[in-house]
Amino acid sequence: MDRLTSAKIPASTANPSLYSFAVPSVAYGKSATWFYTTIAIVIALLVLEQSIYRYKKRHLPSDKWTIPLIGKFADSMSPSMESYKKQWNSGALSAVSVFNIFIVMASSNEYARKILNSPSYAEPALVHSGKQILLSENWVFLTGKDHVEYRRGLNALFTRKALGIYVAIQETITRKHLKNWLAEAAKTGAAQPIMMTARAMNMDTSLRVFCGNHLPEHAAREINEKYWAITQALELVNFPLALPGTKVYKAIQARKVALRWLELAAHNSKIAMANGAEPECMLDEWVQSLADPTYKGRKEFSDLEMAMVVFSFLFASQDAMSSGLIYGFQHLADHPEVMAKVKEEQERVRQGDYERPLSLETLAQMPYLQAVVKESMRVQPPVLMVPYKATKAFPITDDYTVPANSMVIPSFYNSLHDSSVYPDPESFTPERWLDPQGPANSNPKNYLVFGSGPHRCIGLEYATMNMTLVLATACAMMNWEHEVTPLSNTVEIIATCFPKDGCRLKLTPRAHS
């Protein structure tokens, strides 16, 4: 019995050992199951992502496969003209994907105009974070009848009477900044960087044209300084979440500051106009037009609504107009024969009186300078493209339909460099605009600098006038030469097409006989 008992003891004690060994075996099996299940799900999602991408792009030129999740995000961190040109030249329509946002790029004039003129299929989106930054209720995002009616009311801000008021403000501020440029050049004896100094001048001008003296000086400085964060955040592709430290987050904080001051300006303008003051800025013109008994549009706008309109105008003027102005300086410096003709025209128009204030009538007597401005923006368009969102399936061609909720982006560069319309398109030739019957003037549909359709830039006359006035005043006050740097001819693709901050000009006062 002892032997039987002793024989059973190992048998009974072996059972727990065998049992305890089985536990990790079962656990390992479950872990392996979850591991392989997770891998299978991930693979299935990746296959689904690639399948959806390929289904959406169909026959459009693009990569056969997209990088999982991020797509072309890495490439978009440092966009270049070369990469964009490669994309545009791959086909009239082409496709990319970024953060699973499907994007159709339109490079031909036909398809670019079709997008711009199809409000029932596509609406302006600017960029994926555009509504976060500019606010979704901003008028620029309105469509259809609402947009038409809103825009009709804003047309009063760009009448000839209104532009006549703005000219005096523009010239006063331009002369102040150019004097400061010359003083700094005399102090250092070195070539001056043009990018941020020209942008600061343009922002100062815009704020005073739009808000007059209803904005305190320190407020104008703060908006000027902070608005660059908004420009940087409105890149075509950016990290989409407004997390602290990101560009989008910083832009939202800058917008809050700017709107607070712009609301104050709108409030002060209403008070001034109610007290019988004469209009001295854009806000004043707006308030007065609303009080006109013959005005048939909407009569009431809150301070915030007026502030949002001015805020959107600041975006266009501070970015696109600044870019155009900087390239205007550079093009004249790089083409001294053109600069000489501009100065000859200035002498002829001004008749030796370089202190006499400019007017709309005076600017109209400068056709060559106007051709220079137009050609400068054609050669180097301030805005390369304007992102739209397909609100529903958009049959853009007979054999391709842009999927609903995709981004669809008309680019302007190819239209503005079409050799059949602009012979030798890369050359800077203002004379092409002086012949009314020439191909440039005979094909206005190609000149997409200010867009097309219902969302065409409402301030195009103001922007062109400001560039003409600044360059006319600069030619009267100073000479400048381009000190070429490694960055002189490179482009920074952000919200607009800025030159890299490497363009430097040697400035000297201009002596008049």
Side-chain angles (χ1 to χ4, degrees):
M1 184 172 180
D2 289 341
R3 285 203 336 248
L4 289 173
T5 303
S6 63
K8 290 179 180 179
I9 289 174
S12 62
T13 55
N15 287 337
S17 300
L18 291 171
Y19 180 79
S20 62
F21 180 75
V23 172
S25 175
V26 172
Y28 176 78
K30 290 182 178 180
S31 298
T33 299
W34 279 109
F35 174 77
Y36 288 118
T37 300
T38 302
I39 291 296
I41 291 173
V42 170
I43 291 174
L45 290 174
L46 292 177
V47 170
L48 178 63
E49 176 189 46
Q50 301 297 326
S51 300
I52 291 174
Y53 165 73
R54 295 196 61 156
Y55 173 77
K56 287 182 175 180
K57 86 177 192 68
R58 303 194 179 218
H59 61 274
L60 295 188
S62 65
D63 294 336
K64 291 183 178 180
W65 308 100
T66 184
I67 299 173
L69 301 179
I70 65 172
K72 286 281 190 178
F73 178 69
D75 291 347
S76 68
M77 293 298 289
S78 299
S80 66
M81 279 297 294
E82 290 70 25
S83 61
Y84 276 126
K85 286 179 181 178
K86 183 179 179 181
Q87 181 78 33
W88 298 327
N89 293 334
S90 67
L93 294 174
S94 59
V96 295
S97 178
V98 181
F99 282 123
N100 280 318
I101 301 169
F102 185 72
I103 303 170
V104 175
M105 307 282 281
S107 62
S108 72
N109 183 261
E110 176 189 359
Y111 295 137
R113 289 182 62 83
K114 188 166 186 178
I115 295 166
L116 296 169
N117 288 278
S118 299
S120 60
Y121 286 105
E123 64 180 17
L126 292 184
V127 295
H128 190 65
S129 57
K131 291 185 178 181
Q132 286 181 276
I133 297 169
L134 299 181
L135 294 179
S136 59
E137 59 267 34
N138 199 307
W139 81 283
V140 298
F141 299 116
L142 294 177
T143 57
K145 184 179 178 180
D146 291 338
H147 177 261
V148 171
E149 291 180 352
Y150 210 113
R151 185 184 176 103
R152 185 182 296 121
L154 298 182
N155 285 335
L157 308 183
F158 299 99
T159 62
R160 187 167 179 80
K161 173 179 172 289
L163 293 175
I165 294 174
Y166 307 156
V167 165
I169 303 172
Q170 290 168 297
E171 185 176 18
T172 298
I173 295 176
T174 296
R175 284 186 175 273
K176 178 187 75 173
H177 279 267
L178 294 181
K179 287 178 181 177
N180 291 341
W181 291 11
L182 287 168
E184 187 65 24
K187 185 192 308 180
T188 64
Q192 302 296 304
I194 185 68
M195 178 179 167
M196 297 307 288
T197 50
R199 177 201 163 273
M201 176 181 68
N202 198 48
M203 185 60 140
D204 192 9
T205 302
S206 297
L207 283 170
R208 291 308 169 195
V209 166
F210 299 160
C211 302
N213 293 318
H214 303 311
L215 197 66
E217 184 63 33
H218 66 278
R221 285 197 303 271
E222 186 174 16
I223 295 173
N224 198 333
E225 292 168 0
K226 290 185 178 297
Y227 214 102
W228 185 244
I230 295 170
T231 299
Q232 292 180 306
L234 289 173
E235 295 170 321
L236 179 60
V237 178
N238 223 322
F239 186 74
L241 303 179
L243 301 178
T246 63
K247 291 180 180 179
V248 174
Y249 177 85
K250 292 176 182 177
I252 290 172
Q253 306 314 307
R255 178 251 295 159
K256 292 177 181 178
V257 171
L259 282 183
R260 184 172 68 247
W261 287 120
L262 296 176
E263 281 188 78
L264 174 64
H267 180 73
N268 290 342
S269 176
K270 290 176 180 177
I271 293 174
M273 293 299 99
N275 291 333
E278 288 296 318
E280 296 180 351
C281 65
M282 184 178 287
L283 281 173
D284 292 348
E285 277 291 311
W286 192 359
V287 173
Q288 189 177 71
S289 71
L290 295 176
D292 188 337
T294 63
Y295 178 71
K296 301 298 183 182
R298 178 181 168 189
K299 292 280 189 177
E300 297 292 331
F301 288 86
S302 69
D303 294 344
L304 176 59
E305 287 176 311
M306 299 184 87
M308 284 194 293
V309 169
V310 173
F311 185 75
S312 68
F313 287 171
L314 279 177
F315 170 63
S317 64
Q318 188 263 176
D319 291 321
M321 199 163 70
S322 292
S323 176
L325 185 59
I326 296 164
Y327 278 114
F329 274 103
Q330 185 167 332
H331 283 137
L332 284 176
D334 291 341
H335 299 84
E337 74 288 354
V338 174
M339 173 103 72
K341 292 180 182 179
V342 171
K343 289 184 175 179
E344 288 173 6
E345 183 177 68
Q346 290 299 303
E347 291 170 2
R348 185 168 60 254
V349 172
R350 295 172 184 264
Q351 297 181 342
D353 186 356
Y354 289 93
E355 299 299 323
R356 184 180 62 174
L358 294 173
S359 64
L360 292 180
E361 292 71 25
T362 312
L363 293 173
Q365 298 172 38
M366 303 176 184
Y368 189 74
L369 180 54
Q370 290 175 6
V372 166
V373 169
K374 198 164 187 177
E375 178 71 350
S376 180
M377 290 192 287
R378 182 199 68 79
V379 172
Q380 189 63 69
V383 178
L384 292 173
M385 62 196 89
V386 179
Y388 275 62
K389 179 182 178 181
T391 54
K392 56 185 176 182
F394 183 0
I396 195 167
T397 71
D398 292 338
D399 61 354
Y400 184 75
T401 296
V402 178
N405 298 315
S406 302
M407 290 189 75
V408 53
I409 304 179
S411 67
F412 306 149
Y413 191 88
N414 284 4
S415 292
L416 294 165
H417 289 76
D418 184 341
S419 59
S420 67
V421 177
Y422 310 108
D424 192 11
E426 301 301 322
S427 71
F428 179 70
T429 311
E431 286 75 11
R432 73 172 83 242
W433 297 103
L434 299 179
D435 180 3
Q437 307 305 319
N441 285 310
S442 299
N443 292 277
K445 289 184 177 181
N446 271 74
Y447 197 74
L448 292 179
V449 168
F450 297 102
S452 177
H455 288 274
R456 188 180 186 220
C457 177
I458 192 173
L460 65 93
E461 290 184 349
Y462 168 74
T464 303
M465 179 182 75
N466 186 64
M467 284 185 62
T468 304
L469 182 146
V470 172
L471 293 176
T473 306
C475 285
M477 291 180 61
M478 64 189 193
N479 299 309
W480 66 92
E481 297 177 5
H482 185 188
E483 182 180 275
V484 179
T485 73
L487 295 178
S488 287
N489 296 309
T490 56
V491 176
E492 186 172 1
I493 311 289
I494 42 180
T496 51
C497 188
F498 266 102
K500 283 280 190 181
D501 196 9
C503 177
R504 295 176 175 271
L505 302 180
K506 295 179 181 178
L507 309 175
T508 56
R510 186 180 176 197
H512 300 290
S513 57

